[in-house]
Amino acid sequence: LNEPNFDGSYVLDFGDVLELQLVGQKSSITKIPVKRDGSINIPDIGKVYIAGLSLGKAEDLISKKIDIAFIGVESFISLVNVRDIQIIVAGNAFNPGPYTLNGNSNMFHALSVSGGPSPMGSFRNIDLIRNGEIIDTYDLYQTFIYGKTNFKSRLRSGDLIFIRPIQNSVSVEGAVNRPLTYELNDDENLSKAVFFANGLTNEADLSDISLFRIGQKGGVQKIKIYNMKEFEDLSANDNDKVSIRRYPFKTVSIRGAVANPGQYVIRDGDGIKAA
């Protein structure tokens, strides 16, 4: 797994190593580790506590200390070694268990190394738990379907990523661009499932739309849908199946002494004259 890029918001802690370069009347390059008490030892200055500070704030603090101690010296700080963290991926994960990541990792990296949600796991309800409290809940559809990145919280040692079980599983089949099974939240209706399926194809027969739903007595009910807008008023039940009939078409190739030879699309059942 490639290391994610670092920025000024990275929070420093024990195990990180900084490189301090001084340029001017006093020139030197020194590697300074963050100690267990959260401090670094700057030569000729002494202890400076930086654990819990972002990289950007630590740079400002160190630069001020250098400016006070030396005249005509400019300082440059960079992060040269990153600490490891221990986290746990639990719940309905493909490979649950403890994992070692670098300190700049977020939840997406942890899900990648653990294989992500299992077939019974939710893509839409994944908790980041720290010190027994849920500090964030992630919806992977925001990334995979909407193209939004919302992995702002960096992981810390002891964090627990808990993948909850899938709730409303809805299958969409037939004349849609991406027929698959999708997970809907409680506040989402069946029209959202069609949206997740990338909408209808141009082969959709809007006169033949059905919803198959498990009834209270255990049987499967077939519900006739007369208009796609009806889905906006139907909440999702687990194991619902939306079926949109696809017009049966054939491709016919015509050659020889005709005005426009080539390939033509006709409906199933039409004859040569239609082509």
Side-chain angles (χ1 to χ4, degrees), residues 10-263:
Y10 174 75
V11 178
L12 296 167
D13 207 341
F14 169 67
D16 292 327
V17 179
L18 300 177
E19 183 178 83
L20 173 62
Q21 181 179 8
L22 302 181
V23 178
Q25 295 184 4
K26 179 180 178 62
S27 298
S28 64
I29 298 178
T30 309
K31 289 185 178 181
I32 309 174
V34 181
K35 299 180 180 180
R36 288 189 179 273
D37 63 355
S39 69
I40 58 174
N41 188 13
I42 303 176
D44 300 325
I45 293 179
K47 276 190 174 185
V48 177
Y49 289 91
I50 62 170
L53 296 180
S54 66
L55 181 59
K57 290 183 178 180
E59 289 176 349
D60 292 339
L61 177 61
I62 295 171
S63 295
K64 290 179 181 178
K65 297 287 185 181
I66 298 296
D67 291 341
I68 294 172
F70 305 108
I71 298 175
V73 175
E74 191 173 0
S75 61
F76 300 93
I77 299 99
S78 58
L79 183 65
V80 294
N81 193 31
V82 183
R83 67 185 183 276
D84 288 335
I85 59 173
Q86 302 286 331
I87 59 99
I88 296 175
V89 181
N92 296 274
F94 193 79
N95 287 307
Y99 289 91
T100 300
L101 305 173
N102 73 59
N104 197 39
S105 298
N106 58 35
M107 193 200 69
F108 193 79
H109 301 114
L111 291 174
S112 297
V113 298
S114 64
S118 70
M120 297 301 296
S122 172
F123 276 75
R124 312 203 62 189
N125 196 3
I126 304 174
D127 293 331
L128 174 57
I129 301 173
R130 181 174 296 160
N131 298 324
E133 296 183 1
I134 298 175
I135 66 167
D136 234 330
T137 298
Y138 295 94
D139 180 355
L140 290 177
Y141 275 28
Q142 292 294 317
T143 299
F144 295 146
I145 293 180
Y146 293 98
K148 300 177 182 179
T149 56
N150 57 348
F151 305 103
K152 296 179 180 179
S153 299
R154 285 190 173 91
L155 300 178
R156 299 181 186 176
S157 283
D159 281 353
L160 172 67
I161 295 172
F162 187 77
I163 302 175
R164 298 192 177 275
I166 189 171
Q167 295 296 323
N168 292 327
S169 178
V170 177
S171 299
V172 185
E173 63 177 26
V176 291
N177 290 296
R178 188 168 53 194
L180 286 172
T181 299
Y182 297 94
E183 179 183 358
L184 269 65
N185 291 329
D186 291 337
D187 59 346
E188 293 176 333
N189 53 46
L190 287 174
S191 65
K192 187 66 73 172
V194 179
F195 170 77
F196 291 157
N198 268 353
L200 305 178
T201 68
N202 57 2
E203 300 175 355
D205 182 0
L206 298 182
S207 66
D208 193 347
I209 305 172
S210 301
L211 169 63
F212 296 89
R213 172 170 287 179
I214 298 176
Q216 294 180 351
K217 297 182 180 180
V220 177
Q221 298 176 338
K222 180 179 179 181
I223 303 172
K224 174 69 175 177
I225 304 297
Y226 296 95
N227 192 304
M228 290 293 296
K229 290 186 177 180
E230 292 183 39
F231 285 135
E232 297 178 3
D233 298 321
L234 288 172
S235 58
N237 287 357
D238 193 27
N239 291 320
D240 276 353
K241 182 170 73 171
V242 174
S243 178
I244 303 170
R245 181 177 178 270
R246 185 188 300 271
Y247 274 120
F249 290 101
K250 291 182 178 180
T251 301
V252 177
S253 179
I254 301 178
R255 300 176 183 174
V258 292
N260 295 301
Q263 286 191 337

